[in-house]
Amino acid sequence: MDSVSYDIREPDSYDIREPDTTRHGAGRTRALATEAVHAGREDLARQGLHAAPIDLSTTYPSYDSRGEAARIDAFAADGAEPQGPPVYGRLGNPTVARFETALARLEGTESAVAFASGMAALSAVLLVRNTLGLRHVVAVRPLYGCSDHLLTAGLLGSEVTWVDPAGIADALRPDTGLVMVESPANPTLAELDLKALAHDCGSVPLLADNTFATPVLQRPAEQGARLVLHSATKYLGGHGDVMAGVVACDEEFAGRLRQVRFATGGVLHPLAGYLLLRGLSTLPVRVRAASSNAAELARRLAADPRVARVHYPRIGGAMIAFEVHGDPHAVIAGVRLITPAVSLGSVDSLIQHPASISHRVVDPADRRDAGVGDRLLRLSVGLEDVDDLWADLDGALGRTGARA
């Protein structure tokens, strides 16, 4: 094997008892695993309910038109969630609000605002800053390919400066509205020192995409990030059946995001909000089990002569990236148990070729400079038996043309 970027934690070292900042009873803090099960659901038992209800209403009756007008005026002023009865589905939905409450608790932020997709969530963040004349973004590659494209193409009027992590402070300008990073990064799993980066950002908000790590493995807000982005389609939902995005942040920024969501219509469907809330309850268990599988597969891949390099983050997690000596497309074509598909974070394992799919919209030279080579494969490890997963990978690697 040529070279290995490889650091493994023992599976039983994944800590899922990071305390939430919210205190409960006699000064205690709840463990993350407890919050995952109960956050956003505390009122259910008092209502005689066990499962959260799904409110599918698009509009809500009101015989108090003056009161309704006052609530709308208050929302227009600062984007605060309207007090009292709901008004209209684009303004807010009770089922979605439960998910937002729960995710904010898990990330340790004041608030969270959910959107129809991860890209809708990122677009809303950019629009919030653009309205203040802060159109300049400083970003570190690699990012998810569509995030990279959105910034590079300037589709929302933004201008981006790409830098190495050490160059953030020097790249800031008076009109810089945002610094954006991913850690672990998609797809190379490169890790960044978020606390140091937040310091370098000064007063400019740091947005950390936490999709790969989830709040089970890290909480960027505790390290200084003002904004924490998730493609909730991935681990938060966890079953490949919901599309969503969410930004965890302070209440001031959340108000601005709600106003953009109302104006642009990038709302999350209530059924998706219900599925996400349900998904959060098993998030720590799923991440811990999938991470254990991934750590073992990373070990086996690192020892395989058909594999040139393995990328697995020090923080752990269920994502692996690896480079093969042979044809990566033969691996994609050769799997039988693992699903060859985009996306990640599901209970089943998925594999894809970033240069062809998720990062194809990135300029080839920029892609290679960011470490996304043509022989790189990204594996999202699920909950299957690890020996079955290895048998499938072993058979697919045998079809690459490289000698075992």
Side-chain angles (χ1 to χ4, degrees):
M1 189 162 62
D2 293 343
S3 61
V4 178
S5 174
Y6 183 65
D7 185 12
I8 299 298
R9 296 174 66 189
E10 289 302 315
D12 62 359
S13 69
Y14 297 110
D15 184 2
I16 63 168
R17 290 190 57 83
E18 283 294 319
D20 189 86
T21 54
T22 305
R23 292 194 171 274
H24 302 271
R28 288 192 70 251
T29 56
R30 284 180 176 171
L32 183 69
T34 302
E35 290 286 34
V37 173
H38 290 280
R41 306 168 179 84
E42 288 91 345
D43 63 321
L44 294 180
R46 294 190 299 273
Q47 298 184 52
L49 300 172
H50 185 231
I54 307 174
D55 187 335
L56 294 173
S57 297
T58 57
T59 192
Y60 299 86
S62 173
Y63 294 96
D64 180 10
S65 57
R66 290 187 180 89
E68 189 170 61
R71 294 200 303 279
I72 294 173
D73 287 346
F75 177 84
D78 58 13
E81 293 184 283
Q83 299 299 309
V87 177
Y88 183 57
R90 188 152 48 85
L91 199 65
N93 173 272
T95 306
V96 172
R98 289 182 181 277
F99 163 66
E100 292 171 330
T101 296
L103 193 278
R105 291 259 286 276
L106 293 183
E107 283 290 4
T109 59
E110 290 180 328
S111 302
V113 184
F115 294 86
S117 69
M119 292 308 300
L122 175 57
S123 296
V125 171
L126 294 174
L127 289 172
V128 166
R129 303 307 282 166
N130 287 356
T131 60
L132 300 175
L134 303 172
R135 298 180 177 275
H136 181 238
V137 178
V138 176
V140 177
R141 281 188 170 116
L143 298 177
Y144 168 53
C146 287
S147 299
D148 188 308
H149 178 66
L150 180 65
L151 295 176
T152 302
L155 296 177
L156 296 178
S158 56
E159 176 190 351
V160 62
T161 299
W162 296 101
V163 298
D164 293 328
I168 287 176
D170 291 338
L172 299 179
R173 307 186 326 205
D175 63 338
T176 302
L178 190 70
V179 175
M180 182 174 179
V181 301
E182 286 185 18
S183 183
N186 185 354
T188 64
L189 304 177
E191 297 176 273
L192 302 173
D193 184 339
L194 295 179
K195 186 174 183 179
L197 296 188
H199 178 269
D200 291 345
C201 289
S203 61
V204 177
L206 172 64
L207 182 151
D209 188 322
N210 203 33
T211 298
F212 277 19
T214 80
V216 176
L217 299 180
Q218 72 178 5
R219 299 207 291 184
E222 294 178 346
Q223 301 176 59
R226 185 178 178 189
L227 306 165
V228 182
L229 175 69
H230 286 272
S231 173
T233 307
K234 308 331 193 260
Y235 289 103
L236 302 189
H239 293 76
D241 56 7
V242 59
M243 185 169 288
V246 63
V247 180
C249 56
D250 58 72
E251 175 55 26
E252 179 185 357
F253 207 102
R256 298 292 187 183
L257 289 172
R258 293 187 197 105
Q259 290 175 325
V260 168
R261 182 177 65 181
F262 176 72
T264 60
V267 295
L268 183 66
H269 192 275
L271 180 58
Y274 169 83
L275 291 172
L276 288 166
L277 184 66
R278 187 178 70 169
L280 287 184
S281 63
T282 60
L283 178 67
V285 177
R286 288 187 285 105
V287 169
R288 181 173 60 178
S291 297
S292 177
N293 277 350
E296 176 58 26
L297 289 178
R299 289 188 185 95
R300 297 187 190 188
L301 286 167
D304 195 301
R306 297 166 295 186
V307 176
R309 190 176 185 186
V310 175
H311 307 264
Y312 187 72
R314 291 178 176 83
I315 199 173
M319 298 298 300
I320 304 171
F322 62 100
E323 300 165 37
V324 296
H325 288 298
D327 180 6
H329 300 284
V331 178
I332 297 293
V335 292
R336 298 293 181 265
L337 176 65
I338 299 167
T339 301
V342 297
S343 200
L344 56 105
S346 184
V347 291
D348 62 317
S349 298
L350 306 173
I351 192 169
Q352 65 114 336
H353 182 244
S356 296
I357 308 295
S358 62
H359 289 70
R360 189 166 185 81
V361 293
V362 180
D363 179 82
D366 292 334
R367 210 165 53 214
R368 288 190 291 271
D369 287 346
V372 187
D374 292 337
R375 295 184 182 273
L376 183 74
L377 293 166
R378 190 189 73 187
L379 177 64
S380 171
V381 182
L383 304 182
E384 301 94 339
D385 181 85
V386 70
D387 289 328
D388 290 335
L389 290 172
W390 176 248
D392 195 35
L393 278 176
D394 183 44
L397 287 166
R399 300 179 178 92
T400 64
R403 292 184 177 180

